[in-house]
Amino acid sequence: MPPPPRITITQVAAEAGVSTATAGRALGGYGYASDEVAARVQAAARKLGYKPNMVARSLVTGRSQTIGVVAADIDNAFYARVLRGIGDVARSRGFGVILTNSDENLEREKEAVQLLLEKRVDGLIITPCDVQGSDHLRSLIAGGCPTVQIDRAAYDLAADSVTVDNRGSAREAVTHLLKAGHRHIGIIAELEKIENGSLEDFVAQTAFSPVSAHTLYPSWQRLLGYLDAHRDAAIPVHTPLIRRAGAYSSEAARQEAIRLLDSGNRPTAVFAADGTMSHGLMQAIADLKIEVPDQLSVVCFDDLDWMTFMRPAITSVHQPVHRIGSMAAELLLARIAGETSVPKHNVLEARLNLRDSVGPPPHQVETG
């Protein structure tokens, strides 16, 4: 059965007894129409089941009432929750959301941005692949497209950002393990992108000179927090316990965790630097039949639902993911409405949720 014919604005105008131009102004929210006429037009539109042509409206008003989102990985639960925050605010203001994905690939990010521009979005929320700033994003912003960064930020871009205190939160998580008596703490992190030198060079550099976390990806910021916690407690850092998954996948994390936990230098505790790394770590622990926390203590960054269902439940760092999304949407909509202040870089606090996955080191259990 063919779909019913689309109701046109001309039919709405005839039903309301006004001109097509007047009906367009009343329904589009532009130009002048008296309250009485606007009410009559809107009643006619409801009666006929009229659906506005948003593309046509955008050509008149210059607005599509949509915002675009470029997420790094839409399979990740982090982005699903952030998107909920974005959507809740956008919907309450009459905006729709178009979601795209970059897969942490710069060329795909460029394609996604171009696609959203072709869809005439009014603004963009993006997780930038390059924290040093990319030419296509500079051109986007210079061209007047309101833009907000989430999860990470290129601070040399003239764009607002909403991120989390990755370094401070990781420091708190690892300090919790140190206070429990652990002195050999492993870390599983993506650590995929590094500009110069090796992991060992990075660790050595941070021991002798301050490092700004602003120009680093989140996993490297969390590694800094891991190093900070050790140095605050005057505990030596054992570089072999720092493991790079090298890819943003739970399988890569699982394999690296097995290499760490099945070695002769097994740590007594492990810190997983994000939800994907946590998933891989827990798979490795299950594969090796390691008891948590009796044989190994665990703390994870990202507080995912399954961590509360595990036995034992997993101590984890909770990011305010809904607030990241809602704040980003609020900032973007303010820019779309004409806000012209200097870019705002908002760094939100995370919370360490203490559960049952941390105990004393195994040797203390045996001798205690």
Side-chain angles (χ1 to χ4, degrees):
M1 179 181 296
R6 186 183 183 93
I7 301 298
T8 67
I9 197 167
T10 301
Q11 292 170 287
V12 173
E15 178 70 23
V18 299
S19 69
T20 301
T22 298
R25 290 196 299 272
L27 293 173
Y30 57 89
Y32 174 76
S34 69
D35 291 345
E36 185 272 330
V37 168
R40 199 162 74 240
V41 171
Q42 289 162 7
R46 287 193 298 271
K47 176 182 176 181
L48 297 176
Y50 171 74
K51 303 296 182 185
N53 185 325
M54 299 305 295
V55 174
R57 177 183 291 184
S58 71
L59 294 174
V60 177
T61 66
R63 297 279 177 83
S64 65
Q65 293 298 112
T66 58
I67 59 177
V69 178
V70 182
D73 179 12
I74 57 177
D75 280 340
N76 191 312
F78 170 86
Y79 289 106
R81 294 180 179 183
V82 169
L83 184 64
R84 179 57 186 264
I86 294 170
D88 286 348
V89 171
R91 188 165 47 253
S92 72
R93 310 283 181 83
F95 279 73
V97 178
I98 302 176
L99 174 65
T100 56
N101 190 51
S102 72
D103 284 328
E104 298 281 12
N105 180 286
L106 188 58
E107 289 305 312
R108 290 182 185 176
E109 177 181 289
K110 293 177 182 179
E111 293 170 3
V113 169
Q114 184 59 39
L115 171 66
L116 292 170
L117 291 177
E118 291 172 359
K119 296 294 184 182
R120 303 180 64 87
V121 297
D122 296 326
L124 207 63
I125 295 174
I126 187 168
T127 304
C129 288
D130 186 354
V131 294
Q132 304 299 327
S134 300
D135 288 341
H136 70 288
L137 294 182
R138 291 191 183 92
S139 298
L140 174 79
I141 294 163
C145 181
T147 303
V148 176
Q149 306 170 87
I150 55 171
D151 186 45
R152 66 194 73 147
Y155 276 63
D156 64 345
L157 291 178
D160 299 320
S161 65
V162 184
T163 59
V164 167
D165 181 10
N166 291 297
R167 185 175 187 172
S169 302
R171 180 195 291 120
E172 182 184 5
V174 176
T175 296
H176 177 63
L177 292 169
L178 291 166
K179 288 181 176 178
H182 295 277
R183 296 297 179 264
H184 289 79
I185 302 171
I187 175 173
I188 304 291
E190 176 193 2
L191 302 177
E192 184 176 7
K193 299 173 182 176
I194 185 170
E195 292 297 321
N196 298 301
S198 64
L199 175 61
E200 291 74 15
D201 293 334
F202 179 85
V203 174
Q205 175 191 352
T206 61
F208 297 104
S209 61
V211 175
S212 172
H214 291 160
T215 58
L216 298 174
Y217 291 88
S219 63
W220 290 94
Q221 293 177 4
R222 293 165 194 172
L223 174 59
L224 279 179
Y226 168 93
L227 299 174
D228 290 341
H230 282 79
R231 290 162 184 162
D232 291 347
I235 302 298
V237 173
H238 300 282
T239 306
L241 299 180
I242 301 173
R243 296 303 180 104
R244 298 177 64 177
Y248 196 65
S249 79
S250 61
E251 178 56 23
R254 185 188 71 86
Q255 292 177 12
E256 196 58 46
I258 287 177
R259 283 190 282 269
L260 173 64
L261 298 175
D262 205 25
S263 69
N265 190 32
R266 179 193 287 184
T268 62
V270 177
F271 171 57
D274 62 53
T276 300
M277 300 298 105
S278 300
H279 189 266
L281 171 63
M282 298 311 296
Q283 286 180 313
I285 288 171
D287 291 345
L288 297 174
K289 297 180 171 55
I290 296 173
E291 296 293 329
V292 176
D294 294 343
Q295 296 175 307
L296 182 75
S297 289
V298 173
V299 175
C300 298
F301 203 106
D302 279 346
D303 190 26
L304 304 179
D305 289 342
W306 60 263
M307 295 177 183
T308 65
F309 305 144
M310 295 283 293
R311 290 295 176 267
I314 306 299
T315 292
S316 59
V317 176
H318 175 83
Q319 297 192 74
V321 281
H322 188 277
R323 183 57 183 146
I324 292 171
S326 63
M327 180 177 284
E330 289 164 359
L331 289 167
L332 184 63
L333 294 176
R335 296 295 182 186
I336 291 170
E339 171 66 46
T340 58
S341 61
V342 297
K344 301 178 177 70
H345 298 295
N346 302 274
V347 181
L348 305 183
E349 295 298 319
R351 180 181 73 247
L352 182 63
N353 283 343
L354 301 179
R355 299 193 179 101
D356 306 317
S357 62
V358 176
H363 70 273
Q364 290 189 13
V365 175
E366 293 166 5
T367 61

